[in-house]
Amino acid sequence: MMVNKVDILAFGAHPDDVECAVSGTLLKHIAMGKTVAIIDLTAGENGSFGNRETRLKESKKASETLGVSYRECLGIRDGAIENNELNRLLVINSIRRYQPEIVLANALDDNHPDHAVAANLVSNSVFLSGLEKIQTFHNNELQNKWRPRVVYHYIQDMLIKPDFVIDISEYMSKKMDAILAYKSQFISPKNNAPNSIIGLLEQIKSTNAIFGRPINSNYAEGFNVNRYIGVKNLFSLE
Ligand SMILES: [Zn+2]
């Protein structure tokens, strides 16, 4: 069975979700020697700026900046993500192909309605992927079941209180480079001037600064869990 095993599999509803919300954490873990794949559920074709082709090109460039091992798009319709059986099977198929230990998914609540649906779609699929009787095929071959250890939901546009944060100060400028690969989202093609989303860059920095403050770091990314986190002992928490 074909498996491209990675340590972390990051799902995003739209091509720049992962870069905006969690790329500092990905850069940090790639620097630690961990392998990462990104899966975009949609091509972001219905966003206000850019189109399917430009966004695909941009996501490729962002992936190179981040140093991820694989990236693919599942081709679900942008703005119409549903947590239904067909989509769960698509997501399960990806989980079984990459066999990650850790899955990252959209925020459980957010501005764009696709985000919360994607969060639940991915989280449900992670559980179901561990069930043998839910059969999926890749290249006509039956896939093995696979249950990742955990799903973490990265916080994006809505300021949600995180369950934990990760210091990304060292990776902040590279994170900005990865986000800026999405030129169509930040630069207007009409006059080559910054479009209305340009403020987003400063907002992302501010959010990361707010998450960093309680741990005395300049910048951090925030996460939620929908189950308890188990730790070995009090000293493994810091
Ligand atoms: Zn999005």
Side-chain angles (χ1 to χ4, degrees), residues 160-231:
I160 304 171
K161 188 171 183 236
D163 294 317
F164 68 94
V165 298
I166 295 183
D167 183 357
I168 59 149
S169 309
E170 263 184 87
Y171 300 95
M172 197 60 199
S173 88
K174 210 161 180 195
K175 171 176 177 166
M176 287 295 130
D177 291 344
I179 296 172
L180 282 169
Y182 292 91
K183 243 176 128 185
S184 69
Q185 306 304 296
F186 296 98
I187 308 288
S188 166
K190 281 183 204 127
N191 50 10
N192 214 26
N195 70 32
S196 59
I197 305 184
I198 197 72
L200 185 60
L201 282 181
E202 287 311 312
Q203 287 163 356
I204 289 169
K205 271 192 177 171
S206 307
T207 302
N208 290 154
I210 290 167
F211 288 152
R213 179 67 196 96
I215 59 163
N216 289 322
S217 83
N218 289 334
Y219 298 109
E221 286 171 339
F223 298 84
N224 291 118
V225 289
N226 50 11
R227 284 192 295 164
Y228 291 113
I229 303 177
V231 294

Side-chain angles (χ1 to χ4, degrees), residues 12-18 55 78 106 110 112 114-115 156-157:
H14 312 106
D16 54 0
D17 289 346
V18 167
R55 298 198 73 174
D78 182 14
N106 282 100
D110 221 343
H112 196 304
D114 272 350
H115 291 183
Q156 192 169 340
D157 298 319

Side-chain angles (χ1 to χ4, degrees), residues 43-83:
E45 70 275 12
N46 289 333
S48 310
F49 306 99
N51 56 37
R52 190 185 294 270
E53 289 69 37
T54 52
R55 298 198 73 174
L56 190 69
K57 240 189 253 163
E58 291 167 351
S59 73
K60 250 191 182 158
K61 194 168 172 220
S63 305
E64 282 163 20
T65 305
L66 294 176
V68 301
S69 305
Y70 308 98
R71 185 172 201 142
E72 62 176 281
C73 175
L74 294 189
I76 298 172
R77 197 147 58 88
D78 182 14
I81 299 180
E82 285 180 19
N83 182 0

Side-chain angles (χ1 to χ4, degrees), residues 105-122:
N106 282 100
L108 290 157
D109 193 8
D110 221 343
N111 290 358
H112 196 304
D114 272 350
H115 291 183
V117 183
N120 288 304
L121 166 65
V122 171

